Amino acid sequence: MTYALVVEQALNGLQLGVTLFLMAAGLTLVFGVMGLINLAHGSLYMVGAFVCAWVAGATGSFWIGLLAGMAAAAAAGALIEIGVMRRLYARDHLDQVLATFALILVFAEGTRMIFGAQPLWLDMPAALSGSVTLPGGAPYPVYRLAIIGTGIAVAVGLYLLISRTRLGMRIRAGESDREMIGALGIDIRTLYTVVFALGAALAGLAGALVGALESVQIGMGEPVLILAFVVIVIGGIGSVKGALIGSVLVGVVDTMGRIGLPELFKLAMPASAATQFGASVASMAIYLLMAAILVVKPRGLFPVHG
Amino acid sequence: MAEAAARIGRPSREAVANAVLALALLAAPLIALQAGEPYYVNLSTRVAILAMAGVGLNLALGYGGMVSFGHAAFFGLGGYVAGIAAHHAFNYDLFMAWPVELEGTNQLLAIWPVALLVSGLAALLIGAFSLRTAGVQFIMITLAFAQMIYYFAISFPDYGGEDGLPIYTRNALPGLNTFDPLTFFLVAYGALMLAIGFTWVIMGARFGAALQAARMNETRLATTGIAPYPVKLTAFVLSGMITGLAGALFADLNGFVDPSMLSWHRSGEIMIFVILGGVGRLFGPVAGAALFVLMELFIGQWTEHWMLVLGLVLLTVVLFASGGLMGLLAGKPRHD
């Protein structure tokens, strides 16, 4: 295992981490403000990727596609908030799980009807398709670095939005006391729709960005959604800071585990068995991390009060 | 306990609905054979097995209030026990050579206890961690642990990885021909009725009362001197074991086992059986699984996009018709 490989994989881990953050931030905001668990968040990721790929294919511009993907995800988010989610805020989590699971089925089949069963392809923009040389000598794609940069920019932007703006103040107020901010004359229904659409736009952004790395297909949001769940359980449900730290932790542990564990097992067993067994254990690494963290902190690293 | 006793005491609308469901499921394959439609025998077996998986989840979700989104883990593990045992029996090789020599087997009387043991142990481990939390975290954690097992099954090549394992010849019971569809249906039906009977017995006992109390108010249960955690963990383990046994039967019905048995869609489906049928109702999962399989069959013939219809039906049931099918058939439950 060379130094160059470690640097490369660490960056890949960071890239996975920021992608997860874009998903987890929306999930955790929606849970923190509205108390809603939204399984259909992965569908919004898929909507972002499909619309981005389709618009980019039609216009020839990745950037227009990216904007269209985010806008479509935000619109789909606002639509399901108004049509479905609104009726679920007062219900128990079981109803929320089932209704949003039903939405996954509707989104998946709806996408299949509109775009067909074949995956779509999304080319990354020419300006970002080159590579740079890492310390250690390995080439690394600029596009992945751009994703990392975007994730960091979104994290900073979210921090400023929540801590410095009037909307952020309302979001924080909504997290701590729903009735009170309603009583103070703030239109809480609009606030909920805005928060939901914001989370959806971030999911759409993540989907569109990843769509250029992997194929754009039905069900692409589900593995990411489940990783995002692991992230917010680790970080503390409702905490955006926890989502950020949890994302990077999960991204790096998952990626480094996949190269590190087989090497580790080679110290104790034959190489081929170590590779196979190491890969199997590595696929479970983040879940074991989650279990370990829950033993110490059952409510996650940054538990939200209330 | 009083309310459970009351339900046992006089034949309520629910008892009548239960009896009708039990007889209808038993009659379906017999009528199908008479009508020369053997396909529907296996379909009835499928309903019985899926209903049994739901009966397992209902114990945790309906009676215990533990919303597990990871029951596919137990369903799939039960299936893999049947598949792995048959795989080694077919190849005449050893499952393990150390510390004891273990061969494969095709005897269901050996496979079922192992399936119960494996799914029970998995439920004990998953439950022990997950029950440290509650509410939405519990949902996500059970989902995450099930995914962990799913990804392990996909990445571990010895037992077929992503492709799964075939069971070339259906596992056997002494004195019975399990290849005969009707015989296998009766085996599955018997297992389902045992699982329902078991649920009925323990829910009528002190344990059941404690479990219901743990769902309604843990603090109150604790003040009566009963710690909620062991009660809930026990129920979760029993729940996982019932679903695990259903998984073993399902693998034998299909003649193969693959990671899709462990996937979160499967967890969602098992949950749908319980919800469509009616949460916390003894025969709810039977009604739910029957409705699910019938919808899959008839809507599937009519359009390839049957999942879209399922999604819309489910959405409607959740938003506007809580109580499920048993709520329609037998009215509101008498408690809470």
Side-chain angles (χ1 to χ4, degrees):
Chain A
M1 203 159 59
T2 62
Y3 172 65
L5 182 67
V6 172
V7 174
E8 184 186 356
Q9 292 302 320
L11 281 173
N12 280 346
L14 199 58
Q15 183 253 308
L16 175 61
V18 303
T19 315
L20 289 176
F21 172 69
L22 293 177
M23 286 288 284
L27 272 178
T28 208
L29 265 182
V30 165
F31 185 80
V33 179
M34 286 94 105
L36 177 92
I37 168 173
N38 178 22
L39 296 180
H41 207 63
S43 301
L44 299 167
Y45 174 93
M46 179 182 72
V47 167
F50 266 92
V51 171
C52 177
W54 186 72
V55 171
T59 63
S61 163
F62 175 83
W63 303 108
I64 297 176
L66 188 65
L67 285 177
M70 278 180 77
L79 203 68
I80 58 174
E81 199 278 334
I82 293 167
V84 178
M85 302 300 177
R86 216 166 247 192
R87 301 168 204 278
L88 294 171
Y89 295 144
R91 302 285 196 87
D92 59 17
H93 294 313
L94 176 61
D95 283 355
Q96 299 177 350
V97 163
L98 283 159
T100 53
F101 185 77
L103 281 176
I104 292 181
L105 301 178
V106 172
F107 267 105
E109 280 303 322
T111 310
R112 203 189 309 273
M113 285 165 83
I114 297 171
F115 293 100
Q118 294 300 317
L120 299 184
W121 298 99
L122 174 60
D123 292 324
M124 57 184 69
L128 299 176
S129 57
S131 58
V132 290
T133 307
L134 292 178
Y140 196 78
V142 176
Y143 186 74
R144 285 180 186 264
L145 289 178
I147 293 183
I148 296 174
T150 310
I152 293 170
V154 167
V156 173
L158 263 185
Y159 171 76
L160 293 176
L161 175 79
I162 291 172
S163 64
R164 295 276 191 275
T165 65
R166 185 163 285 268
L167 174 63
M169 200 163 71
R170 289 179 176 170
I171 291 176
R172 279 179 289 141
E175 281 176 343
S176 49
D177 197 331
R178 243 166 271 179
E179 281 82 20
M180 185 52 101
I181 73 158
L184 289 173
I186 288 159
D187 181 1
I188 194 140
R189 287 160 75 95
T190 312
L191 177 69
Y192 284 178
T193 311
V194 168
V195 169
F196 203 91
L198 175 69
L202 292 180
L205 173 65
L209 288 175
V210 173
L213 291 174
E214 297 160 11
S215 65
V216 175
Q217 57 188 341
I218 290 149
M220 66 185 287
E222 294 169 8
V224 188
L225 175 80
I226 289 161
L227 287 183
F229 278 157
V230 174
V231 163
I232 64 177
V233 166
I234 287 177
I237 301 179
S239 159
V240 178
K241 183 169 88 177
L244 179 62
I245 291 171
S247 302
V248 174
L249 204 58
V250 166
V252 171
V253 166
D254 188 54
T255 312
M256 297 307 271
R258 283 178 204 282
I259 60 159
L261 283 173
E263 296 293 326
L264 197 65
F265 287 128
K266 272 181 197 164
L267 301 175
M269 53 172 84
S272 65
T275 308
Q276 186 193 100
F277 188 63
S280 303
V281 175
S283 68
M284 306 199 294
I286 53 164
Y287 303 100
L288 299 174
L289 171 76
M290 177 185 79
I293 286 175
L294 284 177
V295 171
V296 189
K297 306 202 89 175
R299 301 190 59 194
L301 293 174
F302 300 95
V304 174
H305 304 287
Chain B
M1 203 156 74
E3 67 209 9
R7 221 183 312 154
I8 299 161
R10 48 195 132 97
S12 58
R13 245 175 92 188
E14 177 156 356
V16 175
N18 291 351
V20 170
L21 275 170
L23 288 175
L25 182 56
L26 184 59
L30 300 173
I31 296 170
L33 277 184
Q34 284 299 314
E37 297 273 5
Y39 169 74
Y40 291 99
V41 179
N42 276 343
L43 204 70
S44 311
T45 315
R46 195 175 149 83
V47 170
I49 292 171
L50 293 178
M52 186 174 163
V55 169
L57 178 62
N58 200 21
L59 184 59
L61 191 157
Y63 296 106
M66 293 172 273
V67 183
S68 163
F69 204 160
H71 259 52
F74 314 124
F75 193 68
L77 282 174
Y80 266 97
V81 168
I84 290 171
H87 171 75
H88 287 294
F90 187 78
N91 292 329
Y92 297 104
D93 60 4
L94 293 176
F95 170 68
M96 61 156 118
W98 184 88
V100 281
E101 286 203 354
L102 269 184
E103 294 176 338
T105 174
N106 63 356
Q107 288 301 317
L108 284 171
L109 291 181
I111 289 171
W112 287 344
V114 178
L116 285 169
L117 188 72
V118 168
S119 49
L121 276 176
L124 183 65
L125 275 173
I126 293 177
F129 283 108
S130 308
L131 285 171
R132 290 172 62 85
T133 66
V136 70
Q137 271 163 310
F138 183 83
I139 300 174
M140 292 184 191
I141 289 165
T142 47
L143 171 63
F145 278 123
Q147 281 304 107
M148 175 176 93
I149 297 174
Y150 171 74
Y151 285 123
F152 185 81
I154 282 190
S155 64
F156 193 71
D158 287 14
Y159 294 119
E162 212 158 343
D163 300 328
L165 276 180
I167 300 176
Y168 293 109
T169 55
R170 188 171 282 169
N171 292 313
L173 277 171
L176 289 176
N177 175 14
T178 52
F179 290 99
D180 174 47
L182 187 63
T183 307
F184 195 68
F185 167 79
L186 291 172
V187 169
Y189 183 81
L192 170 68
M193 288 302 140
L194 273 178
I196 292 176
F198 177 75
T199 308
W200 183 67
V201 168
I202 63 166
M203 289 318 295
R206 283 168 52 91
F207 175 81
L211 183 62
Q212 302 243 33
R215 181 189 78 227
M216 293 174 204
N217 192 331
E218 284 200 18
T219 316
R220 262 191 212 169
L221 180 66
T223 53
T224 61
I226 301 173
Y229 184 84
V231 174
K232 292 174 83 171
L233 186 57
T234 309
F236 192 78
V237 170
L238 293 173
S239 159
M241 289 168 79
I242 295 174
T243 303
L245 187 58
L249 285 165
F250 196 68
D252 259 318
L253 173 68
N254 293 331
F256 67 89
V257 49
D258 71 354
S260 78
M261 274 184 79
L262 293 157
S263 77
W264 74 303
H265 278 270
R266 182 68 68 184
S267 293
E269 267 178 37
I270 301 175
M271 220 179 209
I272 291 173
F273 307 148
V274 176
I275 309 313
L276 278 184
V279 181
R281 311 294 283 258
L282 202 55
F283 273 73
V286 181
L291 183 65
F292 185 91
V293 171
L294 288 176
M295 278 190 353
E296 188 177 29
L297 179 71
F298 289 110
I299 305 175
Q301 283 171 352
W302 167 61
T303 165
E304 58 175 323
H305 302 292
W306 96 272
M307 289 301 248
L308 182 74
V309 181
L310 172 69
L312 293 174
V313 168
L314 185 61
L315 202 55
T316 313
V317 169
V318 174
L319 289 180
F320 305 111
S322 58
L325 210 55
M326 290 305 286
L328 285 176
L329 294 176
K332 294 272 169 224
R334 290 181 188 171
H335 50 83
D336 65 60

